[in-house]
Amino acid sequence: MSSIFITGGAAGIGLATAERFDREGWTVGVYDVNAEALSKVRANHPDWIVGELDVRDENRWAQALEEFTSHTDGKLDVLDNNAGVLVAGPLEEISPAAVRTQIEIDCLGVTLGAQAAFPYLKATPGSHLVNIASASAIYGQPDIATYSAAKFYVAGLTEALELEWEPHGIRVVGIWPLWAKTALADN
């Protein structure tokens, strides 16, 4: 059975992705930092593997992937680096702490996730790393400058890893969604 590990999977695009892969018969892992949302996921989807994950913490990444792959015979078909935050407004009005958090989650989290998942993906024939970028990375957008820049980073990382990991048999792809009606867009 194929397996997918989804960060930021307790709501929005991540949850919709989890539901889709579940319908296709995959082993689904939903990891998120939002404990309340995770409890709803556990209640509604008791067959899923669910856990807390702050994507900024490399030790937690290692624990979460080890936990998930203990249910999949060590295999990881897809890592979906979906977790992200958006803080909207003119840059001069956004606190340095909010800017830092956004960069740490949207850039560092994706990078640490790829790094932690590499050995599992390498050991799984036909595996994929999916990084969620954004149409906001096509051209930087006002009032979400940090978000646009972070998604440019995700696009660059994805392009580099697509070439770097090809000899290992890992397909690396980016998905660039337009605005979706999620809590992220409400901000």
Side-chain angles (χ1 to χ4, degrees), residues 48-117:
W48 292 3
I49 301 157
V50 178
E52 286 191 43
L53 172 61
D54 182 338
V55 296
R56 299 169 292 181
D57 182 342
E58 65 271 13
N59 295 319
R60 189 60 193 113
W61 263 109
Q63 294 165 355
L65 285 166
E66 183 178 342
E67 172 189 280
F68 177 72
T69 59
S70 74
H71 299 276
T72 64
D73 297 323
K75 297 196 183 301
L76 177 62
D77 293 285
V78 177
L79 168 63
D80 180 3
N81 259 328
N82 174 73
V85 296
L86 184 154
V87 180
L91 183 61
E92 68 274 11
E93 295 177 10
I94 298 172
S95 75
V99 169
R100 183 176 295 106
T101 297
Q102 188 166 351
I103 291 170
E104 288 176 351
I105 292 170
D106 294 357
C107 299
L108 180 63
V110 170
T111 307
L112 292 176
Q115 195 173 49

Side-chain angles (χ1 to χ4, degrees), residues 7 20 22 74 139 144 155 161 165:
T7 66
R20 172 60 190 263
D22 181 56
Y139 192 89
I144 57 168
L161 291 180
W165 289 6

